[in-house]
Amino acid sequence: QVQLVESGGGLVQAGGSLRLSCAASGRTDSIYAMAWRRQVPGKEREFLVSITWSGGSTYYANSVKGRFTISRDNAKNTVYLQMNSLKPEDTDVYYCGAQSVIESKYNYWGQGTQVTVSS
């Protein structure tokens, strides 16, 4: 089992920046990749970014490409999401996920952290 805890959300003005953190615990040695998604009630779920734990290969959705950057600190079992040039449409609850080396999908997700961008 893997447990994930997000932090770093908050309220910022449009054009500002936030840095989200996701700390993993439990069987962290089983993690193949970690990712971020966002979703609130009445809004479509959107898979944003991912990074492989060993190789550092990344994926970015078009909506955040060039503005968001995912990174990792393997020693701290933590993944980060640097969000720059934030827009009001980025307002959402952001969730951190983990994919096991055994499973082929993301089976673990945290409770989320709120990001609100004001205009």
Side-chain angles (χ1 to χ4, degrees), residues 1-5 22-32 34 53 74-78 98-100 108:
Q1 298 293 315
V2 175
Q3 294 79 44
L4 305 170
V5 179
C22 175
S25 60
R27 293 188 172 90
T28 57
D29 59 335
S30 70
I31 296 176
Y32 170 74
M34 297 184 70
W53 207 237
N74 298 51
K76 295 182 178 180
N77 295 317
T78 301
Q99 181 180 1
S100 171
Y108 308 101

Side-chain angles (χ1 to χ4, degrees), residues 8-10 12 15-20 38 48 67-69 81-86 90 94 115 117:
V12 298
S17 299
L18 280 175
R19 188 194 191 204
L20 306 183
R38 61 188 181 188
L48 299 176
R67 299 189 298 122
F68 292 9
T69 303
L81 183 64
Q82 179 66 46
M83 305 185 295
N84 299 325
S85 302
L86 285 164
D90 293 320
Y94 285 69
V115 172
V117 184

